[in-house]
Amino acid sequence: MKKIIFTILITYISLQALTIEARKSKTDLSKITPISREWMTAKVSELILYPETNSTAKAKKAGVRVLYNEKNIAFLIEWHDKTKSVQKELNGTNYADGFTIQFASNLEIGKLPYIKMGSKDREVLVHKQRFYKSKNKKTFIAEGSKSIKNIEINSTSSMEHLGKNWRGTLIRPIKDNYINLSSDAIAVSFVIWHSENDNEGLKLLSSWVGVSKDAKEDNALLATLNAKAEGDIKRGKELAKKYCASCHNYKTTPNLTNIGGYASTVYLIESIVKPNAVVADGKNISSMPSFNYLPTKDILDIVTFFQTLKETSKD
Ligand code: HEC
């Protein structure tokens, strides 16, 4: 495992392109809203979010800005959506537009939590906001979608619909009882819910992305998050047909349609050589066999092919 990660770390590409650059702010961030002028001082980074299950839906572009000071860190996510879908009752079953910002709470480099709400021993902290009048926030920690524990955090989140776009903000302490975001680089991921009227809505998610406050180029976390395998796609596809297609047809469960969009390369490698390290959906033991007996080149080629499994048309 270490050897493979090292192999890809020395071949990684476009480190900066994927990292969100946070800017230090002199303002009291606890007071800023989705339309505050202070956001003009932040750098906009483009993020792409991929449909979690719907294999025909397009991916979605979002602009993300991050500001911070000694006390707080503030996120703004903006995405295109002409229809404003509002939740009618606080605990109703109808759906609304919304967003989620997820943090890895005890991140060990190389051991990324499962992107869909964490997994056993790899906890995530989630700030979730659906559009209900203006407030319907939930904060929880999770080790998978079946183990969610609601918590109270001194955070503010809000949403504002500006004609054709949604803007969502989250302002939270740099440090609290659950998480410490004071290091130079942190790992964050985003979800957007896109609902139309009362239908269930589409959930789109990003991969783990690095947010850099003042990180050096060789920052180990950013290198892990941005590492890419650069093997042979064609050969990888053939190997995947041979070893993986009996269980994964890329469209049905275990669904891998957009896996190349929301899974980090390090996570893909781990899923193949150590399927039990992170098991999707809270089952404790994966029924997927380990492929750690394959030569490193084969694994890298398979991973290179898997990186290409993602929707390319974007909203
Ligand atoms: C015997 C059936 C089986 C085979 C063969 C198999 N898998 Fe899996 N795979 C699963 C199951 C079941 C899961 C979901 C449980 C889990 O997360 O381990 C899974 C999960 C995954 C995941 C994580 C999905 C996610 O949503 O995060 C990846 C990546 C993956 N497999 C890749 C592969 C690759 C690459 C191969 C071939 C080298 C392969 N699998 C072969 C059954 C299989």
Side-chain angles (χ1 to χ4, degrees):
M1 180 72 191
K2 280 219 176 78
K3 187 168 146 246
I4 304 172
I5 290 188
F6 181 72
T7 313
I8 60 162
L9 285 183
I10 54 171
T11 59
Y12 69 82
I13 48 162
S14 59
L15 181 73
Q16 267 75 29
L18 298 162
T19 298
I20 296 169
E21 194 187 308
R23 294 263 163 91
K24 193 151 190 184
S25 172
K26 294 193 183 82
T27 340
D28 177 359
L29 292 176
S30 68
K31 301 219 167 61
I32 69 169
T33 69
I35 50 169
S36 293
R37 291 184 73 84
E38 188 64 14
W39 290 115
M40 311 254 279
T41 66
K43 188 181 169 202
V44 187
S45 303
E46 187 181 284
L47 195 71
I48 300 174
L49 296 97
Y50 294 88
E52 181 179 56
T53 48
N54 183 332
S55 56
T56 54
K58 285 183 181 169
K60 209 166 189 43
K61 275 190 273 185
V64 175
R65 306 176 211 206
V66 186
L67 292 169
Y68 70 100
N69 57 26
E70 284 74 22
K71 267 193 175 154
N72 291 305
I73 184 158
F75 295 82
L76 170 79
I77 177 163
E78 180 165 11
W79 69 98
H80 182 67
D81 183 356
K82 275 191 267 183
T83 50
K84 177 178 173 180
S85 306
V86 178
Q87 192 162 330
K88 293 180 187 94
E89 319 139 45
L90 190 53
N91 292 311
T93 50
N94 69 315
Y95 291 87
D97 294 326
F99 71 99
T100 287
I101 302 185
Q102 178 178 257
F103 300 91
S105 39
N106 296 303
L107 188 63
E108 267 184 68
I109 292 170
K111 294 188 174 181
L112 296 176
Y114 183 45
I115 193 77
K116 300 178 187 170
M117 285 202 277
S119 53
K120 197 166 178 299
D121 300 327
R122 297 196 191 175
E123 194 177 87
V124 292
L125 190 149
V126 179
H127 289 268
K128 181 173 172 179
Q129 168 87 42
R130 290 280 198 154
F131 195 80
Y132 167 71
K133 287 168 189 167
S134 72
K135 273 191 172 196
N136 176 13
K137 72 167 184 177
K138 254 191 192 164
T139 311
F140 53 87
I141 45 178
E143 288 185 29
S145 59
K146 291 180 188 114
S147 86
I148 291 176
K149 201 166 95 193
N150 289 322
I151 53 172
E152 283 298 325
I153 286 189
N154 183 20
S155 66
T156 332
S157 45
S158 48
M159 288 174 73
E160 195 85 49
H161 197 250
L162 308 164
K164 289 182 180 159
N165 280 5
W166 272 113
R167 275 189 173 201
T169 48
L170 165 72
I171 298 110
R172 56 151 294 131
I174 288 270
K175 205 173 154 182
D176 59 27
N177 293 339
Y178 300 98
I179 200 163
N180 183 349
L181 303 172
S182 60
S183 46
D184 291 348
I186 56 176
V188 185
S189 75
F190 299 83
V191 164
I192 288 172
W193 274 279
H194 177 51
S195 305
E196 295 273 356
N197 306 317
D198 272 354
N199 71 3
E200 193 174 334
L202 181 65
K203 182 180 174 188
L204 302 117
L205 65 158
S206 77
S207 63
W208 286 111
V209 275
V211 173
S212 166
K213 284 189 240 143
D214 203 7
K216 304 267 180 316
E217 284 210 9
D218 62 351
N219 181 283
L221 173 64
L222 297 180
T224 305
L225 292 171
N226 295 335
K228 288 273 178 276
E230 291 187 274
D232 181 336
I233 298 180
K234 217 173 135 223
R235 190 170 174 270
K237 190 174 179 177
E238 278 154 22
L239 289 165
K241 209 166 155 193
K242 179 169 167 195
Y243 295 113
C244 324
S246 55
C247 298
H248 297 282
N249 70 6
Y250 315 121
K251 297 270 184 234
T252 54
T253 318
N255 189 318
L256 302 176
T257 317
N258 279 312
I259 191 94
Y262 57 72
S264 310
T265 298
V266 167
Y267 169 79
L268 288 174
I269 293 174
E270 197 183 36
S271 299
I272 298 170
V273 298
K274 255 173 103 183
N276 282 328
V278 173
V279 182
D281 281 338
K283 290 173 249 143
N284 279 333
I285 297 177
S286 176
S287 51
M288 176 171 150
S290 165
F291 289 90
N292 61 1
Y293 61 87
L294 290 178
T296 301
K297 167 145 181 42
D298 290 6
I299 293 172
L300 290 181
D301 286 350
I302 294 174
V303 168
T304 307
F305 165 61
F306 269 53
Q307 285 170 175
T308 68
L309 294 177
K310 56 184 174 189
E311 180 56 46
T312 49
S313 56
K314 297 174 200 102
D315 256 349

